[in-house]
Short mmCIF file of all heavy atoms in Angstrom, two decimals:
data_model
loop_
_atom_site.label_atom_id
_atom_site.label_comp_id
_atom_site.label_asym_id
_atom_site.label_seq_id
_atom_site.Cartn_x
_atom_site.Cartn_y
_atom_site.Cartn_z
N ASP A 1 0.88 -1.29 0.01
CA ASP A 1 0.02 -0.11 -0.07
C ASP A 1 0.91 1.24 0.01
O ASP A 1 1.57 1.54 0.93
CB ASP A 1 -0.93 -0.02 1.22
CG ASP A 1 -1.95 1.08 1.27
OD1 ASP A 1 -2.07 1.94 0.24
OD2 ASP A 1 -2.68 1.16 2.17
N ALA A 2 0.85 2.00 -1.06
CA ALA A 2 1.72 3.15 -1.21
C ALA A 2 0.90 4.38 -1.67
O ALA A 2 -0.11 4.27 -2.26
CB ALA A 2 2.76 2.94 -2.44
N SER A 3 1.24 5.53 -1.24
CA SER A 3 0.57 6.80 -1.51
C SER A 3 0.65 7.01 -3.07
O SER A 3 1.68 6.55 -3.68
CB SER A 3 1.17 7.97 -0.83
OG SER A 3 2.47 8.31 -1.32
N PHE A 4 -0.33 7.78 -3.59
CA PHE A 4 -0.33 7.98 -4.99
C PHE A 4 0.89 8.91 -5.38
O PHE A 4 1.48 8.86 -6.45
CB PHE A 4 -1.69 8.56 -5.52
CG PHE A 4 -1.80 8.39 -7.02
CD1 PHE A 4 -2.26 7.24 -7.60
CD2 PHE A 4 -1.40 9.44 -7.89
CE1 PHE A 4 -2.35 7.02 -9.03
CE2 PHE A 4 -1.61 9.32 -9.29
CZ PHE A 4 -1.95 8.08 -9.80
N ASP A 5 1.18 9.75 -4.43
CA ASP A 5 2.40 10.61 -4.62
C ASP A 5 3.61 9.95 -4.89
O ASP A 5 4.43 10.24 -5.78
CB ASP A 5 2.61 11.57 -3.41
CG ASP A 5 1.49 12.63 -3.31
OD1 ASP A 5 1.04 13.06 -4.30
OD2 ASP A 5 1.26 13.08 -2.26
N SER A 6 3.88 8.77 -4.20
CA SER A 6 5.06 8.01 -4.37
C SER A 6 4.95 7.20 -5.64
O SER A 6 6.12 7.01 -6.26
CB SER A 6 5.20 7.03 -3.21
OG SER A 6 4.22 5.95 -3.25
N ILE A 7 3.78 6.85 -6.19
CA ILE A 7 3.66 6.24 -7.44
C ILE A 7 3.93 7.21 -8.48
O ILE A 7 4.75 7.02 -9.52
CB ILE A 7 2.27 5.58 -7.53
CG1 ILE A 7 2.15 4.45 -6.54
CG2 ILE A 7 2.08 5.10 -8.95
CD1 ILE A 7 0.75 3.80 -6.54
N GLU A 8 3.29 8.32 -8.54
CA GLU A 8 3.44 9.31 -9.63
C GLU A 8 4.83 9.84 -9.71
O GLU A 8 5.32 10.09 -10.77
CB GLU A 8 2.46 10.51 -9.34
CG GLU A 8 2.49 11.52 -10.46
CD GLU A 8 1.70 12.73 -10.15
OE1 GLU A 8 1.76 13.30 -9.07
OE2 GLU A 8 0.94 13.15 -11.09
N SER A 9 5.56 9.99 -8.64
CA SER A 9 6.94 10.40 -8.66
C SER A 9 7.95 9.43 -9.25
O SER A 9 9.02 9.78 -9.60
CB SER A 9 7.41 10.75 -7.21
OG SER A 9 7.53 9.64 -6.54
N GLY A 10 7.48 8.09 -9.44
CA GLY A 10 8.34 7.12 -9.79
C GLY A 10 9.19 6.46 -8.64
O GLY A 10 9.88 5.51 -8.89
N LEU A 11 9.05 6.91 -7.45
CA LEU A 11 9.80 6.41 -6.33
C LEU A 11 9.34 4.96 -5.93
O LEU A 11 9.96 4.33 -5.10
CB LEU A 11 9.80 7.38 -5.15
CG LEU A 11 10.47 8.63 -5.42
CD1 LEU A 11 10.29 9.54 -4.14
CD2 LEU A 11 11.93 8.49 -5.69
N PHE A 12 8.27 4.47 -6.43
CA PHE A 12 7.74 3.15 -6.24
C PHE A 12 8.82 2.14 -6.59
O PHE A 12 8.78 1.06 -6.03
CB PHE A 12 6.46 2.91 -6.95
CG PHE A 12 6.60 2.84 -8.44
CD1 PHE A 12 6.82 1.50 -8.94
CD2 PHE A 12 6.48 3.94 -9.28
CE1 PHE A 12 7.08 1.47 -10.38
CE2 PHE A 12 6.62 3.81 -10.65
CZ PHE A 12 6.91 2.57 -11.23
N SER A 13 9.80 2.54 -7.51
CA SER A 13 10.72 1.54 -7.99
C SER A 13 11.68 1.04 -6.85
O SER A 13 12.32 0.04 -6.90
CB SER A 13 11.46 2.14 -9.14
OG SER A 13 12.18 3.33 -8.75
N VAL A 14 11.77 1.79 -5.74
CA VAL A 14 12.61 1.50 -4.69
C VAL A 14 12.20 0.18 -4.05
O VAL A 14 12.93 -0.67 -3.60
CB VAL A 14 12.71 2.64 -3.63
CG1 VAL A 14 13.41 2.20 -2.39
CG2 VAL A 14 13.22 3.95 -4.29
N LYS A 15 10.78 0.02 -3.97
CA LYS A 15 10.26 -1.06 -3.17
C LYS A 15 9.50 -2.09 -4.13
O LYS A 15 9.21 -3.21 -3.72
CB LYS A 15 9.25 -0.63 -2.09
CG LYS A 15 9.88 0.17 -1.09
CD LYS A 15 10.62 -0.73 -0.09
CE LYS A 15 11.15 0.06 1.08
NZ LYS A 15 11.96 -0.83 2.08
N CYS A 16 9.12 -1.69 -5.28
CA CYS A 16 8.22 -2.58 -6.17
C CYS A 16 8.64 -2.71 -7.53
O CYS A 16 9.45 -1.97 -8.10
CB CYS A 16 6.81 -1.75 -6.19
SG CYS A 16 5.99 -1.62 -4.55
N ASP A 17 8.19 -3.89 -8.07
CA ASP A 17 8.57 -4.28 -9.46
C ASP A 17 7.66 -3.27 -10.51
O ASP A 17 8.12 -2.92 -11.56
CB ASP A 17 8.26 -5.63 -9.69
CG ASP A 17 9.07 -6.62 -8.93
OD1 ASP A 17 10.37 -6.51 -9.11
OD2 ASP A 17 8.68 -7.46 -8.24
N VAL A 18 6.44 -3.07 -10.17
CA VAL A 18 5.51 -2.30 -10.88
C VAL A 18 4.61 -1.59 -9.98
O VAL A 18 4.51 -1.76 -8.70
CB VAL A 18 4.69 -3.03 -11.84
CG1 VAL A 18 5.57 -3.84 -12.85
CG2 VAL A 18 3.74 -3.97 -11.11
N ALA A 19 3.85 -0.60 -10.44
CA ALA A 19 2.74 0.13 -9.72
C ALA A 19 1.51 -0.16 -10.63
O ALA A 19 1.45 0.16 -11.83
CB ALA A 19 2.96 1.52 -9.60
N ILE A 20 0.54 -0.69 -9.92
CA ILE A 20 -0.86 -0.86 -10.62
C ILE A 20 -1.89 -0.30 -9.75
O ILE A 20 -2.22 -0.74 -8.71
CB ILE A 20 -1.07 -2.40 -10.85
CG1 ILE A 20 0.05 -3.12 -11.56
CG2 ILE A 20 -2.46 -2.53 -11.60
CD1 ILE A 20 -0.22 -4.59 -11.81
N SER A 21 -2.26 0.96 -10.21
CA SER A 21 -3.17 1.76 -9.35
C SER A 21 -4.00 2.77 -10.07
O SER A 21 -3.94 3.94 -9.67
CB SER A 21 -2.31 2.45 -8.20
OG SER A 21 -3.13 2.94 -7.19
N SER A 22 -4.63 2.24 -11.12
CA SER A 22 -5.45 3.32 -11.97
C SER A 22 -4.50 4.46 -12.37
O SER A 22 -4.99 5.61 -12.21
CB SER A 22 -6.71 3.66 -11.22
OG SER A 22 -7.47 4.40 -12.01
N VAL A 23 -3.37 4.26 -12.90
CA VAL A 23 -2.53 5.28 -13.16
C VAL A 23 -2.62 5.76 -14.68
O VAL A 23 -2.51 4.86 -15.66
CB VAL A 23 -1.01 4.80 -13.06
CG1 VAL A 23 -0.09 6.02 -13.19
CG2 VAL A 23 -0.82 4.20 -11.63
N SER A 24 -3.10 6.99 -14.81
CA SER A 24 -3.22 7.55 -16.15
C SER A 24 -1.83 7.79 -16.82
O SER A 24 -0.94 8.24 -16.13
CB SER A 24 -4.07 8.90 -16.07
OG SER A 24 -5.35 8.60 -15.61
N ILE A 25 -1.81 7.48 -18.07
CA ILE A 25 -0.61 7.65 -18.85
C ILE A 25 -0.52 9.14 -19.26
O ILE A 25 -1.32 9.61 -20.01
CB ILE A 25 -0.58 6.81 -20.07
CG1 ILE A 25 -0.67 5.31 -19.57
CG2 ILE A 25 0.72 7.02 -20.85
CD1 ILE A 25 -0.92 4.27 -20.75
N THR A 26 0.59 9.87 -18.78
CA THR A 26 0.77 11.20 -19.27
C THR A 26 2.19 11.42 -19.60
O THR A 26 3.12 10.55 -19.22
CB THR A 26 0.50 12.21 -18.10
OG1 THR A 26 1.49 11.92 -16.97
CG2 THR A 26 -0.93 12.00 -17.41
N ASP A 27 2.49 12.41 -20.32
CA ASP A 27 3.90 12.74 -20.90
C ASP A 27 4.81 12.98 -19.67
O ASP A 27 5.94 12.47 -19.65
CB ASP A 27 3.98 13.81 -21.78
CG ASP A 27 3.34 13.58 -23.14
OD1 ASP A 27 3.30 12.29 -23.49
OD2 ASP A 27 2.90 14.49 -23.88
N ALA A 28 4.23 13.66 -18.68
CA ALA A 28 5.06 14.07 -17.36
C ALA A 28 5.50 12.79 -16.74
O ALA A 28 6.60 12.57 -16.19
CB ALA A 28 4.25 14.96 -16.56
N ARG A 29 4.50 11.83 -16.55
CA ARG A 29 4.85 10.58 -15.89
C ARG A 29 5.77 9.68 -16.77
O ARG A 29 6.59 8.90 -16.15
CB ARG A 29 3.60 9.87 -15.58
CG ARG A 29 2.68 10.59 -14.45
CD ARG A 29 1.34 9.94 -14.35
NE ARG A 29 0.52 10.66 -13.26
CZ ARG A 29 -0.67 10.55 -13.06
NH1 ARG A 29 -1.36 9.60 -13.71
NH2 ARG A 29 -1.32 11.27 -12.08
N LYS A 30 5.65 9.75 -18.09
CA LYS A 30 6.55 8.95 -18.91
C LYS A 30 8.08 9.44 -18.67
O LYS A 30 8.92 8.53 -19.00
CB LYS A 30 6.18 9.14 -20.43
CG LYS A 30 4.99 8.39 -20.86
CD LYS A 30 4.69 8.67 -22.29
CE LYS A 30 3.42 7.97 -22.79
NZ LYS A 30 3.18 8.23 -24.18
N ALA A 31 8.22 10.62 -18.26
CA ALA A 31 9.63 11.06 -17.98
C ALA A 31 10.23 10.31 -16.82
O ALA A 31 11.46 10.23 -16.66
CB ALA A 31 9.69 12.51 -17.73
N LYS A 32 9.38 9.72 -15.83
CA LYS A 32 9.88 9.13 -14.68
C LYS A 32 9.73 7.67 -14.69
O LYS A 32 10.30 6.95 -13.85
CB LYS A 32 9.00 9.65 -13.54
CG LYS A 32 9.07 11.22 -13.42
CD LYS A 32 8.07 11.69 -12.36
CE LYS A 32 8.05 13.31 -12.52
NZ LYS A 32 6.90 13.80 -11.50
N MET A 33 8.81 7.08 -15.60
CA MET A 33 8.60 5.59 -15.53
C MET A 33 8.14 5.31 -17.05
O MET A 33 7.77 6.11 -17.82
CB MET A 33 7.45 5.30 -14.60
CG MET A 33 6.11 5.92 -14.93
SD MET A 33 5.05 6.02 -13.57
CE MET A 33 5.64 7.39 -12.59
N ASP A 34 8.16 3.99 -17.27
CA ASP A 34 7.53 3.45 -18.53
C ASP A 34 6.22 2.95 -18.24
O ASP A 34 5.83 2.67 -17.10
CB ASP A 34 8.42 2.33 -19.04
CG ASP A 34 9.77 2.83 -19.67
OD1 ASP A 34 9.87 3.98 -20.12
OD2 ASP A 34 10.81 2.20 -19.58
N PHE A 35 5.43 2.79 -19.32
CA PHE A 35 4.04 2.32 -19.20
C PHE A 35 3.79 1.07 -20.13
O PHE A 35 4.40 0.98 -21.20
CB PHE A 35 3.06 3.37 -19.56
CG PHE A 35 2.84 4.28 -18.48
CD1 PHE A 35 3.46 5.66 -18.43
CD2 PHE A 35 1.90 4.05 -17.34
CE1 PHE A 35 3.26 6.55 -17.41
CE2 PHE A 35 1.75 4.95 -16.32
CZ PHE A 35 2.40 6.19 -16.31
N SER A 36 2.98 0.29 -19.62
CA SER A 36 2.47 -0.83 -20.39
C SER A 36 1.55 -0.50 -21.53
O SER A 36 1.18 0.83 -21.60
CB SER A 36 1.79 -1.89 -19.55
OG SER A 36 0.43 -1.27 -19.09
N THR A 37 1.10 -1.32 -22.38
CA THR A 37 -0.10 -1.15 -23.22
C THR A 37 -1.21 -0.64 -22.33
O THR A 37 -1.47 -1.09 -21.24
CB THR A 37 -0.47 -2.50 -23.80
OG1 THR A 37 0.59 -3.09 -24.50
CG2 THR A 37 -1.69 -2.31 -24.76
N PRO A 38 -1.91 0.35 -22.83
CA PRO A 38 -3.11 0.83 -22.05
C PRO A 38 -4.11 -0.26 -21.85
O PRO A 38 -4.36 -1.00 -22.78
CB PRO A 38 -3.67 1.90 -22.93
CG PRO A 38 -2.48 2.38 -23.75
CD PRO A 38 -1.73 1.17 -24.09
N TYR A 39 -4.73 -0.33 -20.71
CA TYR A 39 -5.75 -1.38 -20.53
C TYR A 39 -7.06 -0.80 -20.11
O TYR A 39 -8.04 -1.60 -19.95
CB TYR A 39 -5.24 -2.26 -19.34
CG TYR A 39 -5.06 -1.66 -17.91
CD1 TYR A 39 -6.24 -1.57 -17.09
CD2 TYR A 39 -3.91 -1.32 -17.41
CE1 TYR A 39 -6.06 -1.05 -15.84
CE2 TYR A 39 -3.77 -0.69 -16.24
CZ TYR A 39 -4.89 -0.60 -15.36
OH TYR A 39 -4.74 -0.04 -14.09
N MET A 40 -7.20 0.48 -20.05
CA MET A 40 -8.70 1.13 -20.03
C MET A 40 -8.59 2.55 -20.45
O MET A 40 -7.61 3.19 -20.23
CB MET A 40 -9.08 0.97 -18.59
CG MET A 40 -10.42 1.68 -18.31
SD MET A 40 -10.96 1.60 -16.63
CE MET A 40 -11.87 0.06 -16.65
N ASP A 41 -9.65 3.00 -21.08
CA ASP A 41 -9.88 4.42 -21.33
C ASP A 41 -10.62 4.95 -20.09
O ASP A 41 -11.56 4.32 -19.67
CB ASP A 41 -10.68 4.63 -22.66
CG ASP A 41 -9.94 4.19 -23.90
OD1 ASP A 41 -8.79 4.08 -23.86
OD2 ASP A 41 -10.58 3.98 -24.96
N ASP A 42 -10.25 6.07 -19.71
CA ASP A 42 -10.83 6.53 -18.39
C ASP A 42 -10.84 8.10 -18.39
O ASP A 42 -9.94 8.83 -17.78
CB ASP A 42 -10.05 6.02 -17.24
CG ASP A 42 -10.88 6.10 -15.90
OD1 ASP A 42 -12.11 6.35 -15.93
OD2 ASP A 42 -10.25 5.95 -14.84
#
């Protein structure tokens, strides 16, 4: 259980293999992490 701030910042990589938490794909986030194939439009 991690705060969304820690997921969005990319710091989740310290403790986790991936983050799965209804994360919207954005250009800003792509600078800090990679994204899978999209699995939902939201």
Side-chain angles (χ1 to χ4, degrees):
D1 186 2
S3 72
F4 199 82
D5 285 333
S6 70
I7 293 173
E8 185 186 43
S9 68
L11 295 180
F12 70 87
S13 61
V14 174
K15 293 286 186 180
C16 297
D17 296 302
V18 302
I20 307 178
S21 194
S22 186
V23 184
S24 296
I25 301 169
T26 68
D27 289 338
R29 290 172 183 168
K30 284 181 181 179
K32 304 169 186 175
M33 65 199 78
D34 288 328
F35 280 98
S36 70
T37 303
Y39 64 87
M40 176 180 274
D41 293 341
D42 200 15

